[in-house]
Amino acid sequence: MEEQVKEKFRDSIGTIDESGKRKFIFPKKPKGKLYNYRTLVSWFLLAFLLAAPFIKVKGNQFLLFNVLERKFHIFGFPFWPQDFHLLVISLLVSVVFIILFTVIFGRIFCGWMCPQTIFMEMVFRKIEYLIEGDRNKQIKLEKQAWDAEKIRKRVTKWIAFFFISFIIANVFLAYIIGSDEVIAYILEGPMAHIGMLLKLLAFTAVFYFVFAWFREQVCIIVCPYGRLQGVLLDNKSINVAYDFVRGEGDNGRKKLRKDENRDELGHGDCIDCKQCVQVCPTGIDIRNGTQLECINCTACIDACDEIMDKSGFEKGLIRYASENDIKKKEKFKFNARLIAYSVILTILVGVLITLLFLRNDVEATILRLPGQTFQSTETSIKNVYTVKLINKTTENIDDVEIKLISHKGEILMIGGHMNVAKQGLKEGTLFIEIDKKDLNSSKEKLKIGIYSKGKLIETTSTNFTGPLKIN
């Protein structure tokens, strides 16, 4: 029995043949309760993904990742380079959440929420089924000579794939440069922006390559998340798993025969129909245990449940379960590792929320001009400064005045009052003059207020230098 299992056990990647060449996967079209749930989730996530860059919250794009200009909008909150610490904490929260989620539920994110899987299985694969048919018809078409039927179906599929890839590229571009820019380019016409059109076609080519040819190899070879499974999963993690205790029995799996008593023969409930293998989008046999290629898409669960139902066996031969649940019937419990991850995640979320509430809409930086020393008169000391104002709001800030709060003195703004455009940055130069009698040391901390139309909108501080005090 052990030798037979070893012979059947697959210890190589399912998309590579014995000679090392790429073996294309033709998965059977999935159906079932979980697939219907996945479809609903995918529709929602697709709608969100396509709409997010075009949704505005208080004038801010809902999601924007403009790396070139270092502008980021997350859920309508604008993040500037000065808010980099918030971005880092947000990324840490995401990483810890994914780690916690993976430890508990395995790679369920890949099968249910990953954009690669959603586009591949719920968009491109559905188009392929519509044009070329299900698994057997696709295999037949692949082996078929390049006659009129094959050319017609393949060209139609390629055109559809290119069109969808072009739409995805436009949306992807909207996340990077902003939806307003993309809409402006579209309205002005492609010939007015040849350079941008070439970049857009390059993005389109990348997406077309991924979804038309590279496909599941992204999950198997490129994506680092799959590699994390090896260090994050343990016997208590819940995965899409084959119940080998029930499925193999004492004498292994066996094809179903009429009027036989499988219990007396010592065979398990698995009838070796291979439906779980045929429906798998990454070409694995789930009966070989947890594998890095498995994206927890649940297609094998639906396929197996259908066969079990028709064969008169109980459903759930393949199900969400941990190895301990299958072998020892141990239910899931929070252990020390999960508690530690949960505490860390809670702390990070608390810190992020606190910092978001403390974050100011206007940020002011006032620094002494490098290389300049103070100017001294009989009664006062004067220093020259550069001022930088950042407006993170979607409204203009007009008639900006800068006043001393902590000391008596005067501030002279070169050029008069400042106006800062919405989501803009304004720089200028100013002089601060303070009477000598009001200074207690050669270097003092000044508290400065930023006012707009007489209303205090921000406070900041800077250093003021003067001559050494000799008692």
Side-chain angles (χ1 to χ4, degrees), residues 131-255:
I131 296 173
E132 296 185 350
D134 207 343
R135 169 184 164 84
N136 293 335
K137 291 183 179 180
Q138 289 183 25
I139 295 174
K140 180 181 177 183
L141 187 70
E142 178 69 16
K143 297 177 180 179
Q144 189 173 317
W146 282 92
D147 53 14
E149 180 192 12
K150 184 170 182 176
I151 292 173
R152 174 177 57 81
K153 288 184 176 181
R154 286 293 166 88
V155 171
T156 302
K157 182 180 77 171
W158 292 339
I159 291 173
F161 279 12
F162 182 85
F163 178 72
I164 299 297
S165 298
F166 186 73
I167 293 175
I168 297 173
N170 275 273
V171 175
F172 181 74
L173 197 63
Y175 277 102
I176 297 178
I177 66 173
S179 56
D180 292 339
E181 293 288 329
V182 172
I183 292 172
Y185 289 147
I186 293 172
L187 295 177
E188 292 169 10
M191 301 311 295
H193 304 280
I194 296 297
M196 185 57 65
L197 177 62
L198 293 176
K199 295 175 183 177
L200 189 61
L201 291 175
F203 279 129
T204 303
V206 170
F207 287 120
Y208 180 84
F209 168 76
V210 168
F211 294 115
W213 189 83
F214 205 51
R215 302 190 153 202
E216 73 286 337
Q217 299 298 96
V218 173
C219 307
I220 298 173
I221 299 174
V222 177
C223 180
Y225 182 48
R227 301 297 186 272
L228 285 174
Q229 287 189 106
V231 295
L232 294 178
L233 300 183
D234 57 22
N235 293 342
K236 303 177 185 67
S237 300
I238 299 172
N239 273 303
V240 171
Y242 166 66
D243 189 339
F244 55 89
V245 175
R246 174 188 155 194
E248 301 297 319
D250 294 327
N251 295 322
R253 64 188 76 126
K254 182 180 181 293
K255 293 285 185 182

Side-chain angles (χ1 to χ4, degrees), residues 32-85:
K33 180 177 67 175
L34 291 175
Y35 182 71
N36 293 337
Y37 290 154
R38 279 181 59 212
T39 302
L40 291 175
V41 171
S42 298
W43 286 348
F44 171 77
L45 293 176
L46 278 172
F48 175 81
L49 192 67
L50 297 174
F54 301 97
I55 297 173
K56 297 292 180 69
V57 178
K58 294 182 179 180
N60 295 323
Q61 188 168 310
F62 192 68
L63 289 176
L64 174 68
F65 306 96
N66 191 337
V67 180
L68 301 177
E69 297 180 5
R70 294 181 296 173
K71 289 184 179 180
F72 303 90
H73 293 171
I74 300 178
F75 304 136
F77 287 97
F79 290 84
W80 289 69
Q82 291 78 7
D83 297 318
F84 184 72
H85 62 287

Side-chain angles (χ1 to χ4, degrees), residues 408-422:
K408 291 181 180 180
E410 293 184 3
I411 293 181
L412 174 63
M413 174 73 68
I414 304 301
H417 292 181
M418 299 174 67
N419 297 317
V420 189
K422 59 182 181 181

Side-chain angles (χ1 to χ4, degrees), residues 19 34 82 94 128 153 184 193 285 288 299 328 432 461 465:
S19 63
L34 291 175
Q82 291 78 7
S94 302
E128 199 164 56
K153 288 184 176 181
H193 304 280
D285 188 340
N288 288 333
K328 305 175 184 178
I432 300 179
S461 62
T465 60

